[in-house]
Amino acid sequence: MESYLELSWCLCLTLRLDIADLREQVGFDWFDEHGEYHTHYFDLFITKTDGTRIACAIRPIARTGGSFGRQMPRIAAQARRSCFADDVRLLTDADLDPVEVHNAWLLHSVRASEPVADEAAAQVLGAMAGTASFAELTARTGCGAAGFQALLRLVRSGQLRPIHNERITSVTVAYKRSNL
């Protein structure tokens, strides 16, 4: 990743259940209005679970004008027409949900497994019915902070879901995904 913004987008996108593959800095050759060829490197290239391919340019909203703003529509049209990508998207800092970014960084921080706590969290999840706060679920694991982190890994994998779009804390109420 070349910037905090790119990394934040990457972390948020990797948590979406409809994303099958995500690559960075994928080159696409395009030609300008004079017929001269150039290579544009898309910051992220996403393949969704339905097979849709999306090329993404990531920029701070303040840097979406100028030559980039003039060239990107031409690049996007050529990328779609050539079947390089099914769609092209511009992702900016203004498009990021601060709650989603916070939770993505939180879930990224607990990605390393802890077998004992992970097994305890899996058992708690298996017995879970209805909703419960992370504090209640953590207590059920009997693993303290390691249990909380294991529950966060279950959120990361999509098995446990917060009810509301909020920063995940011990008071956040969650449900087992299979309960829907």
Side-chain angles (χ1 to χ4, degrees):
M1 297 287 115
E2 295 179 339
S3 70
Y4 176 82
L5 181 59
E6 285 183 29
L7 182 54
S8 293
W9 267 110
C10 185
L11 292 177
C12 289
L13 291 169
T14 58
L15 295 174
R16 296 187 183 176
L17 299 177
D18 63 338
I19 305 289
D21 185 53
L22 190 143
R23 292 181 283 141
E24 60 178 311
Q25 300 301 318
V26 176
F28 173 71
D29 293 328
W30 66 284
F31 57 91
D32 63 21
E33 62 274 7
H34 307 293
E36 187 176 328
Y37 276 86
H38 306 271
T39 301
H40 175 81
Y41 289 92
F42 284 98
D43 298 304
L44 295 176
F45 193 89
I46 298 166
T47 303
K48 297 180 76 174
T49 54
D50 68 1
T52 303
R53 294 166 299 123
I54 304 169
C56 302
I58 300 175
R59 297 285 185 285
I61 194 76
R63 292 188 44 230
T64 57
S67 63
F68 174 81
R70 287 188 302 276
Q71 294 171 348
M72 200 49 163
R74 175 182 282 273
I75 296 167
Q78 291 177 30
R80 285 189 296 269
R81 192 170 42 250
S82 70
C83 296
F84 171 79
D86 298 305
D87 200 2
V88 175
R89 305 243 175 99
L90 172 61
L91 307 176
T92 72
D93 49 334
D95 300 316
L96 277 174
D97 174 0
V99 169
E100 185 179 13
V101 173
H102 170 83
N103 290 342
W105 279 97
L106 175 64
L107 297 175
H108 178 70
S109 74
V110 299
R111 67 194 177 280
S113 65
E114 296 180 35
V116 172
D118 290 341
E119 177 58 32
Q123 288 178 6
V124 167
L125 182 71
M128 186 177 178
T131 63
S133 72
F134 275 87
E136 294 171 74
L137 295 171
T138 299
R140 291 179 199 166
T141 68
C143 296
F148 181 73
Q149 292 172 356
L151 292 166
L152 291 175
R153 283 189 285 284
L154 293 175
V155 173
R156 183 179 170 87
S157 68
Q159 297 174 68
L160 186 63
R161 307 289 302 234
I163 288 180
H164 302 291
N165 181 36
E166 63 182 296
R167 288 177 175 230
I168 299 172
T169 67
S170 61
V171 298
T172 300
V173 176
Y175 64 94
K176 183 166 54 173
R177 183 166 179 241
S178 62
N179 285 353
L180 281 182

